[in-house]
Amino acid sequence: MKTRLHLPVAAFAFAFLSTLASAQPSGQAPAPGDGPPPRQAGPGSKGGPGAKGGPGGMGTAKFTAPILAKDAAEKKILDVLADISANQRRGSMSVPDDDGRILRVLAESLGAKHIVELGTSVGYSATWFCLALEKTGGKLTTFEIDEGRAAQARKNFQRAGVEGRVTLVMGDAHQTVATVKDSIDLLFLDADKEGYVDYLNKLLPLVRPGGLIVAHNINQRQADPAYIKAITTNPTLETVYLNLESSGMSLTMKKR
């Protein structure tokens, strides 16, 4: 499958995100406590924007940005995402809201035409991807082993109006990923953590040069050391880490 490369935008996004985190030593899982913890700034404190309380005169406040709909079509999808986040999180193992937003930014800035996701759950992260795919004209192939979660995901895709962009594959993804034949722009791993290396080995050949492998729950408690080693010792890959203070994600680019 041919893909269109949006090189300036994708390169800018990757360079920007790279400034948010630095890679850990090879073979070591990143520690959530690395670096100074964020400090909430109240009225009159020295941690707000423009404050001089941090090193080099930089504050340590945690910045946030509201989710804003560009148009009615985007608002429809965002409303469904808000409902999933508010009412379907219990037992779903869905990504945090901010992580979903990061996935959308990555996919849309890459101009992704084909995204592969391991671990659909109720479709929360998949719907964030579809928000991007509505703009890029791409498709999502997502794998789930639990029929109950998959059924709920299908309902959510229909509510958001994105079901036509999604192929949901049921069964053990360690076997069913063999059905993927097309080039992959972005591979998202959010299934069994000890299976990340197997998924990587099977799907990396299909990830196009300049494509991304994003893995969720990369933190001290959940990350598989074997996966950390795989993405930090392969010279054809470049890896950084994001959101280590919360769920944790690794962002790996397949070099051109």
Side-chain angles (χ1 to χ4, degrees):
M1 170 181 173
K2 295 182 180 179
T3 59
R4 292 183 301 165
L5 304 184
H6 297 247
L7 298 181
V9 180
F12 172 80
F14 189 82
F16 171 75
L17 288 168
S18 297
T19 66
L20 302 181
S22 59
Q24 301 292 323
S26 299
Q28 295 183 12
D34 285 351
R39 180 177 63 192
Q40 296 294 340
S45 74
K46 297 182 179 180
K52 299 181 179 180
M58 298 181 66
T60 55
K62 181 177 181 180
F63 292 98
T64 60
I67 300 175
L68 304 175
K70 178 182 178 181
D71 50 36
E74 190 165 298
K75 184 178 186 303
K76 178 180 179 179
I77 299 174
L78 288 172
D79 285 347
V80 173
L81 284 165
D83 178 69
I84 298 172
S85 183
N87 301 307
Q88 298 179 31
R89 280 203 172 274
R90 185 180 296 274
S92 73
M93 300 174 286
S94 297
V95 302
D97 296 341
D98 282 349
D99 291 2
R101 296 176 74 181
I102 290 172
L103 295 176
R104 183 264 179 101
V105 168
L106 292 173
E108 192 165 335
S109 63
L110 275 175
K113 291 296 187 180
H114 186 208
I115 298 172
V116 172
E117 174 186 53
L118 281 302
T120 314
S121 187
V122 297
Y124 185 65
S125 53
T127 304
W128 276 111
F129 279 133
C130 286
L131 187 59
L133 294 172
E134 284 290 291
K135 308 298 183 180
T136 67
K139 64 180 181 178
L140 170 70
T141 305
T142 182
F143 294 82
E144 178 55 50
I145 196 169
D146 183 86
E147 181 54 54
R149 290 195 293 266
Q152 186 61 54
R154 293 187 190 97
K155 292 178 182 178
N156 289 329
F157 298 149
Q158 291 175 351
R159 291 167 59 211
V162 298
E163 69 274 17
R165 298 206 174 274
V166 182
T167 299
L168 200 163
V169 182
M170 286 298 304
D172 183 349
H174 290 285
Q175 277 73 53
T176 56
V177 292
T179 62
V180 179
K181 303 298 182 183
D182 293 334
S183 175
I184 300 170
D185 297 295
L186 193 157
L187 171 63
F188 181 51
L189 306 179
D190 194 21
D192 51 311
K193 312 312 169 192
E194 68 280 3
Y196 280 16
V197 172
D198 184 52
Y199 298 134
L200 180 70
N201 289 338
K202 289 175 177 175
L203 293 173
L204 182 59
L206 291 175
V207 176
R208 59 127 167 130
L212 297 178
I213 304 100
V214 182
H216 202 249
N217 299 124
I218 300 299
N219 55 61
Q220 192 68 35
R221 182 174 61 88
Q222 294 174 285
D224 179 6
Y227 181 74
I228 300 299
K229 182 178 181 180
I231 59 175
T232 57
T233 59
N234 184 338
T236 69
L237 303 176
E238 179 69 21
T239 295
V240 295
Y241 300 104
L242 305 176
N243 282 1
L244 296 182
E245 74 281 2
S246 57
S247 54
M249 291 195 292
S250 61
L251 176 60
T252 301
M253 179 183 70
K254 184 175 181 180
K255 296 178 184 178
R256 300 180 190 277

